[in-house]
Amino acid sequence: MPKSLRKKLVPINDTVTWLLDDMLRGTGSLHAALEAAILKRFKILLQRSDWSEELPVHLQPRFLLFGDDGKEICAGRNLRSLLDSGFKSQDMPQEPTLQKEGEAIFKRWRGSEHKEWSFHGLPAAIPTFTQQGEVSGFLYPILMPQVDKGCVVIGFEKNMQLAEIKNWAGTLFLYRLQFPDQFKALKKMCATSFSGPSAVFLFDLEMTHKVAFEALLDFLLHLIFGPLPSGIIKENEFIEKVAEVRMQGLYALGKKMCEEFLRLLRKRRMVFDALRKIFIPDKTNLYHPEKEAEFYAHLRDIFPKDLMLQRHGLSFPDLDRQLQCLLIRIERFYANPAKDSQKAAPLSKHLCNLNQIAAQRDGLSKEAFELAAIYKMMVNEYRIALFSPEIKTRISISEKKLEDQWRATLARC
């Protein structure tokens, strides 16, 4: 859109959100839908001639066509010409390449070793290009732990999501290197602390005990040093966090986290034991298979086996509140099963909604994921309001607020 018109729609980010809410998507002309939404929201009447007939190259979508075997057949900006080409051999894609500047950056940094923050001049990404000179993707720098050498090594990853996950591991290892003696003491303390029966289920992750224990240490470090960035951490953030942890002591912080986590593990075990005592098949008056499945599913949702592999939205106080809520509910269910079923009735549709979101989790956009996380938090608070109101909810919660949040989440899925 020409700047003379575009400047009437600022701030653009808010405008985009409004238009997406107002537009009927998936049917008819995109231009017509946008014109109608802009007229409704801003009272500005656009003509079809106001739109550029041809988008600049950087705004044109690049199409990739794949065969049944999953291999790329051809690629380009013009979908019609690709479909009409008959997939000739000259249309076969070639490996993306780096241009001169990108090649120099790649050679300079790849394989370099670092024991502290020393990444001046390393870009957030290096663009790759097709043979026709079009941007085809990016190479994202990552920090790769080298335990034997006691350093991190710079590598590059094409996939942004994989780069983020690998960078978390590398960043934590770089932090570790700044506290060698304290980390060694923390590791020894954890090995002793997590040897009791309450922690057994954490190591049942279809991985060796050694790998599981390393995951546990990374979990504690993530709690101490997080939240971690998706790319290479900035120098000032790294230095400030190191100074902050050095002041409080890595061992002291880790010991505190360890004790809090063990307390939660013991509480989880208490809830688990309470469920085993209630749901015994020969107790015909209390044995309800559907309730047993529901209660155990709730416990798994609060405290899944892969809890220490999670990296977002984890709060020990919140976990404690949810476990306490479930424990209270179990006690009250034992006293009056019918009343529990009555209270649970309005919750069922929201649990179905959460299952629906979980099924399409990998396909969610970042915005949809964040909205879904808020919805899940609200459902958890709703559970507390229904089954253990004495705990008090963190936010004001109602059926209407849940419905509104669910609609907002669906709109971004």
Side-chain angles (χ1 to χ4, degrees):
M1 184 180 289
K3 187 175 181 180
S4 59
L5 293 173
R6 197 168 64 242
K7 67 183 182 181
K8 297 178 181 179
L9 306 178
V10 294
I12 291 295
N13 287 344
D14 292 343
T15 298
V16 169
T17 300
W18 290 331
L19 296 182
L20 287 174
D21 286 339
D22 290 341
M23 284 170 56
L24 179 62
R25 288 170 289 184
T27 57
S29 163
L30 173 62
H31 287 130
L34 283 168
E35 289 161 7
I38 290 172
L39 178 61
K40 176 183 176 182
R41 174 67 63 170
F42 297 97
K43 305 298 186 280
I44 297 174
L45 180 61
L46 295 177
Q47 305 297 325
R48 190 55 52 88
S49 58
D50 291 328
W51 301 96
S52 300
E53 291 188 9
E54 187 172 342
L55 292 173
V57 174
H58 72 280
L59 291 181
Q60 295 177 22
R62 180 170 178 268
F63 299 97
L64 303 175
L65 301 186
F66 296 89
D68 292 337
D69 58 359
K71 294 183 179 179
E72 186 180 325
I73 297 173
C74 57
R77 301 285 181 189
N78 191 316
L79 180 59
R80 176 52 53 192
S81 66
L82 291 178
L83 294 174
D84 293 341
S85 68
F87 311 139
K88 298 175 184 177
S89 58
Q90 58 263 34
D91 293 321
M92 292 294 286
Q94 295 176 301
E95 280 295 314
T97 59
L98 295 171
Q99 292 187 345
K100 187 176 181 180
E101 182 180 354
E103 184 70 31
I105 294 172
F106 182 81
K107 289 181 177 178
R108 174 191 171 190
W109 289 100
R110 187 187 185 194
S112 59
E113 300 177 357
H114 306 264
K115 294 187 176 183
E116 55 189 21
W117 200 99
S118 52
F119 311 118
H120 295 289
L122 179 62
I126 305 175
T128 60
F129 297 84
T130 64
Q131 298 300 316
Q132 292 73 37
E134 298 176 343
V135 174
S136 62
F138 295 89
L139 291 179
Y140 301 96
I142 58 174
L143 303 179
M144 300 187 297
Q146 298 292 309
V147 180
D148 295 340
K149 294 183 178 181
C151 66
V152 294
V153 170
I154 298 290
F156 290 89
E157 171 61 54
K158 295 179 183 178
N159 184 288
M160 181 186 291
Q161 285 72 33
L162 285 178
E164 180 178 36
I165 294 171
K166 292 178 179 179
N167 258 325
W168 286 342
T171 303
L172 286 181
F173 190 75
L174 190 63
Y175 273 127
R176 251 174 67 174
L177 294 176
Q178 314 311 306
F179 303 88
D181 295 332
Q182 291 191 56
F183 177 77
K184 185 177 180 180
L186 177 62
K187 184 176 181 179
K188 185 176 180 181
M189 186 269 294
C190 286
T192 302
S193 301
F194 286 89
S195 58
S198 296
V200 169
F201 93 107
L202 279 181
F203 297 102
D204 184 21
L205 298 172
E206 297 182 356
M207 60 178 71
T208 66
H209 191 279
K210 179 181 178 182
V211 173
F213 185 67
E214 287 292 333
L216 172 62
L217 288 171
D218 278 350
F219 170 69
L220 293 175
L221 290 178
H222 195 100
L223 292 172
I224 294 171
F225 292 106
L228 300 177
S230 57
I232 304 295
I233 190 169
K234 295 179 180 178
E235 181 182 20
N236 64 316
E237 293 177 8
F238 183 81
I239 292 175
E240 288 173 7
K241 180 58 74 171
V242 169
E244 176 188 324
V245 173
R246 202 179 298 281
M247 183 178 297
Q248 299 180 64
L250 175 68
Y251 178 80
L253 286 171
K255 185 173 183 292
K256 180 182 177 182
M257 295 285 185
C258 180
E259 290 171 349
E260 290 180 5
F261 192 37
L262 281 170
R263 183 176 58 81
L264 288 174
L265 284 173
R266 287 190 287 271
K267 193 159 193 174
R268 180 210 166 272
R269 186 177 178 85
M270 187 189 307
V271 174
F272 182 76
D273 289 342
L275 288 174
R276 285 198 306 176
K277 289 177 181 177
I278 286 181
F279 293 108
I280 302 175
D282 59 2
K283 288 188 176 181
T284 54
N285 61 324
L286 273 178
Y287 185 61
H288 303 270
E290 72 286 351
K291 280 293 181 182
E292 179 182 26
E294 179 187 343
F295 279 37
Y296 276 110
H298 188 188
L299 179 58
R300 287 193 299 272
D301 184 61
I302 297 172
F303 220 115
K305 286 186 176 180
D306 64 348
L307 178 74
M308 62 187 183
L309 301 180
Q310 296 182 14
R311 295 293 181 262
H312 298 287
L314 190 63
S315 164
F316 284 178
D318 191 46
L319 289 178
D320 183 71
R321 292 169 69 252
Q322 292 184 58
L323 286 172
Q324 185 64 27
C325 171
L326 182 52
L327 194 59
I328 291 173
R329 183 186 178 186
I330 292 168
E331 293 171 354
R332 290 175 179 169
F333 168 79
Y334 182 80
N336 193 336
K339 190 173 182 179
D340 180 89
S341 296
Q342 185 181 359
K343 286 184 176 181
L347 182 67
S348 57
K349 63 181 177 181
H350 298 294
L351 297 182
C352 290
N353 291 342
L354 289 177
N355 290 334
Q356 178 183 333
I357 285 292
Q360 53 182 324
R361 177 187 176 94
D362 293 339
L364 294 179
S365 66
K366 183 177 181 181
E367 184 179 10
F369 182 85
E370 290 173 350
L371 288 170
I374 294 173
Y375 178 68
K376 182 175 181 180
M377 178 274 293
M378 292 174 68
V379 172
N380 289 334
E381 293 300 313
Y382 191 44
R383 271 174 163 152
I384 290 174
L386 289 173
F387 300 111
S388 54
E390 64 268 40
I391 293 180
K392 304 297 182 184
T393 57
R394 288 190 300 155
I395 59 172
S396 174
I397 196 71
S398 68
E399 185 68 23
K400 183 180 183 303
K401 289 181 179 180
L402 281 168
E403 293 289 351
D404 290 344
Q405 184 63 31
W406 175 240
R407 282 194 293 270
T409 303
L410 280 183
R412 294 294 182 266
C413 288

